[in-house]
């Protein structure tokens, strides 16, 4: 048992280190030479490289325990956030000169978050009767399906659309409708909730519900052509068939493999599609945006949630345009560039240094609550909610993630979702 645990730890250690090395290779060989004009320069020194790897090794002391945690949702979310948000940040630490104050705050944020993730205790969740829980669950599911059907009928004429090639035309049309705010909350939520229910009812062999949900998902995609609707459905099926809690130790290896394939594409084909879409766009750009947010709000007034929930109370923000577009205008010369970012950026744009100290508590508390309400749900049904939580919180603010990102409704659904009798997740 001890040998097996030790071997698993070494697999994790080497996976994270290999992932970081391959990120560095992609940055130095592809990103810096091609995208230096947008700030991705290579000014590394032996000192900055050494410091960045020391930071990585110190952080691994906190993250390694998450791989053996019994708290499936919390540990998976923390590990994935660490791999896709923190590790690329340490790589940029080696290559791009940035203000030392920024790096101190960035590391304080992450080390505090990782430390809290180890010691936070589960929340005691009240238990509803099976009848009351099922009634509420089906009412919410019915409301979401009704919303999709209504919007599809009212605005899209019940159109059925299969192609992925012309989805941008559908999105332009959807923007022109000026949908009521409530639909802006429910339609993204539907793209996450409906696939989970579809897989659940498929396993339970309730085929008429599977058919109804399939039609609702297809109509939801046909409304605005959002690829995430289809991708979430596919991911949910793949997760159910192949996921197990042991797979968390392979996350870093999977990302390292994708980074290796990206480098092979460059060397063999002299193309950089994977590097552009995955390594630069999904990993390095969000990490670099952290510095843009710091750079701007270190010399300008913090927003203090005035573009978030406070705007509904009539409190006006000092900024006339959405902050992500403001960052896009200042640093990328285009207000059409929607520079969304979460985690550290969210903390600093709202409350500055105080936010850096406060937001790790808020974020880990939210994840802890979601983990607590998900206790007892089949592991295989949780992979899509895990990925959605990671994507939503890493790409946007905490408050928008809970509201427009659908995480709030997702938490309620997980609370109401059927649990196994022992209250222990299936393995």
């Amino acid at each position: 048992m001890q040998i097996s645990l030790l071997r698993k730890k070494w697999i994790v250690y080497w996976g994270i280190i290999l992932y970081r090395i391959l990120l560095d290779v992609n940055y130095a060989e592809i990103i810096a030479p091609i995208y230096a004009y947008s700030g991705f320069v290579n000014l590394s020194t032996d000192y900055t490289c050494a410091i960045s790897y020391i930071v990585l090794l110190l952080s691994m002391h906190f993250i390694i325990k998450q791989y053996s945690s019994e708290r499936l949702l919390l540990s998976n979310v923390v590990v994935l956030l660490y791999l896709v948000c923190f590790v690329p940040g340490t790589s940029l630490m080696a290559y791009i000169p940035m203000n030392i104050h920024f790096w101190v705050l960035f590391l304080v944020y992450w080390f505090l978050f990782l430390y809290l993730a180890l010691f936070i205790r589960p929340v005691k969740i009240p238990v509803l009767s099976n009848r009351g829980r099922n009634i509420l669950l089906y009412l919410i599911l019915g409301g979401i399906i009704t919303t999709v059907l209504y919007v599809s009928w009212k605005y899209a004429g019940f159109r059925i659309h299969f192609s992925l090639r012309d989805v941008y035309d559908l999105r332009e049309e959807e923007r022109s409708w000026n949908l009521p705010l409530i639909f802006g909350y429910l339609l993204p939520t539907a793209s996450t909730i409906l696939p989970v229910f579809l897989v659940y009812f498929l396993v339970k062999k309730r085929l008429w519900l599977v058919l109804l949900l399939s039609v609702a998902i297809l109509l939801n995609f046909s409304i605005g052509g959002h690829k995430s609707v289809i991708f979430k459905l596919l991911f949910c099926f793949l997760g159910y068939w192949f996921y197990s809690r042991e797979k968390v130790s392979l996350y870093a290896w999977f990302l390292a493999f994708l980074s290796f394939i990206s480098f092979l594409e460059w060397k063999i084909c002299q193309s950089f599609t994977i590097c552009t879409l995955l390594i630069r766009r999904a990993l390095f750009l969000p990490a670099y945006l952290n510095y843009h947010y710091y750079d701007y709000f270190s010399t300008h007034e913090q927003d203090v949630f005035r573009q978030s929930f406070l705007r509904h109370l009539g409190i006006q923000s000092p900024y006339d345009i959405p902050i992500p577009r403001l960052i896009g205008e200042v640093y990328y010369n285009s207000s059409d560039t929607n520079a969304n970012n979460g985690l550290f950026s969210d903390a600093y744009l709202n409350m500055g240094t105080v936010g850096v100290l406060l937001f790790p508590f808020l974020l880990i508390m939210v994840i802890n609550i979601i983990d607590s309400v998900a206790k007892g749900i089949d592991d295989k049904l949780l992979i899509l909610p895990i990925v959605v939580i990671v994507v939503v919180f890493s790409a946007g603010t905490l408050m928008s993630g809970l509201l427009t990102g659908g995480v709030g409704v997702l938490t309620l659904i997980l609370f109401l979702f059927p649990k196994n009798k022992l209250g222990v997740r299936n393995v």
Side-chain angles (χ1 to χ4, degrees), residues 327-389:
I327 298 298
E329 182 178 23
V330 172
Y331 293 94
Y332 296 97
N333 300 315
S334 173
S335 59
D336 293 330
T337 299
N338 202 21
N340 286 309
N341 215 32
L343 303 178
F344 175 88
S345 298
D346 179 27
Y348 198 77
L349 79 88
N350 277 299
M351 300 183 69
T353 301
V354 174
V356 170
L357 298 173
L358 175 63
F359 272 59
F361 286 95
L362 298 178
L363 178 60
I364 205 65
M365 284 176 61
V366 169
I367 299 172
N368 183 44
I369 291 171
I370 301 173
D371 178 86
S372 298
V373 302
K375 182 178 180 181
I377 297 176
D378 188 339
D379 290 357
K380 293 176 178 293
L381 291 173
L382 289 177
I383 186 62
L384 181 60
I386 287 169
V387 172
V388 167
I389 292 166

Side-chain angles (χ1 to χ4, degrees), residues 4-5 7 79 185-186 225 264 326 328 345 356 368 398:
S4 176
L5 182 60
R7 181 182 303 167
V79 168
Y185 293 139
L186 292 178
L264 277 187
L326 174 64
S345 298
V356 170
N368 183 44
L398 179 61

Side-chain angles (χ1 to χ4, degrees), residues 229-302:
V229 175
I230 301 300
F231 292 152
K232 287 178 181 178
L233 176 62
L234 295 175
F235 200 92
C236 199
F237 274 104
L238 290 173
Y240 192 86
W241 287 331
F242 298 111
Y243 180 76
S244 66
R245 64 174 59 227
E246 289 77 17
K247 294 294 193 300
V248 68
S249 62
L250 301 179
Y251 288 163
W253 287 93
F254 177 70
L255 289 170
F257 173 74
L258 291 178
S259 302
F260 177 68
I261 294 299
S262 169
F263 183 66
L264 277 187
E265 180 196 9
W266 171 249
K267 284 298 183 182
I268 296 174
C269 305
Q270 291 298 300
S271 62
F272 47 94
T273 303
I274 297 175
C275 187
T276 295
L277 297 179
L278 175 67
I279 308 301
R280 185 190 70 87
R281 178 64 185 86
L283 299 175
F284 279 121
L285 184 57
Y288 196 26
L289 283 175
N290 283 321
Y291 186 67
H292 292 329
Y293 275 82
Y294 165 81
D295 185 61
Y296 187 84
F297 286 100
S298 62
T299 57
H300 293 79
E301 182 181 358
Q302 269 83 41

Side-chain angles (χ1 to χ4, degrees), residues 15-25 48-49 51-54 56 87-95 256 284:
I16 295 174
I17 292 171
L18 179 62
Y19 167 50
R20 166 62 201 276
I21 291 172
L22 289 170
L23 279 180
D24 288 353
V25 169
T48 57
C49 285
I51 291 296
S52 69
Y53 272 96
I54 289 172
L56 179 69
V87 177
T90 67
S91 189
L92 290 186
M93 184 182 294
Y95 291 99
F284 279 121

Side-chain angles (χ1 to χ4, degrees), residues 5 47 121 130 166 181 281 371 391:
L5 182 60
Y47 173 76
R121 307 304 302 165
N130 286 338
D166 54 351
L181 183 63
R281 178 64 185 86
D371 178 86
V391 171

Side-chain angles (χ1 to χ4, degrees), residues 147-267:
T147 298
V148 172
L149 294 176
Y150 174 78
V151 174
S152 178
W153 163 72
K154 179 72 173 180
Y155 298 94
F158 280 130
R159 68 181 170 208
I160 301 293
H161 193 86
F162 294 99
S163 176
L164 295 176
R165 295 181 178 180
D166 54 351
V167 293
Y168 293 104
D169 294 334
L170 299 184
R171 292 181 197 178
E172 286 295 329
E173 182 182 349
E174 183 188 26
R175 292 191 192 100
S176 69
W177 295 338
N178 293 319
L179 293 172
L181 183 63
I182 186 65
F183 294 152
Y185 293 139
L186 292 178
L187 291 178
T189 301
S191 68
T192 298
I193 299 302
L194 296 184
V196 176
F197 273 105
L198 189 146
V199 173
Y200 174 76
F201 288 129
L202 185 63
V203 173
K204 295 295 183 180
K205 297 182 179 180
R206 299 180 184 176
L207 298 183
W208 71 273
L209 284 172
V210 171
L211 178 61
L212 175 61
L213 288 166
S214 299
V215 172
I217 291 171
L218 181 57
L219 290 174
N220 192 25
F221 168 72
S222 301
I223 288 171
H226 296 284
K227 297 177 185 177
S228 61
V229 175
I230 301 300
F231 292 152
K232 287 178 181 178
L233 176 62
L234 295 175
F235 200 92
C236 199
F237 274 104
L238 290 173
Y240 192 86
W241 287 331
F242 298 111
Y243 180 76
S244 66
R245 64 174 59 227
E246 289 77 17
K247 294 294 193 300
V248 68
S249 62
L250 301 179
Y251 288 163
W253 287 93
F254 177 70
L255 289 170
F257 173 74
L258 291 178
S259 302
F260 177 68
I261 294 299
S262 169
F263 183 66
L264 277 187
E265 180 196 9
W266 171 249
K267 284 298 183 182

Side-chain angles (χ1 to χ4, degrees), residues 40-67:
F40 289 109
V41 296
N42 183 354
L43 297 176
S44 65
T45 65
D46 292 341
Y47 173 76
T48 57
C49 285
I51 291 296
S52 69
Y53 272 96
I54 289 172
V55 167
L56 179 69
L57 293 173
L58 289 175
S59 69
M60 288 167 62
H61 171 73
F62 293 95
I63 198 67
I64 202 74
K65 295 183 180 179
Q66 293 295 339
Y67 284 84

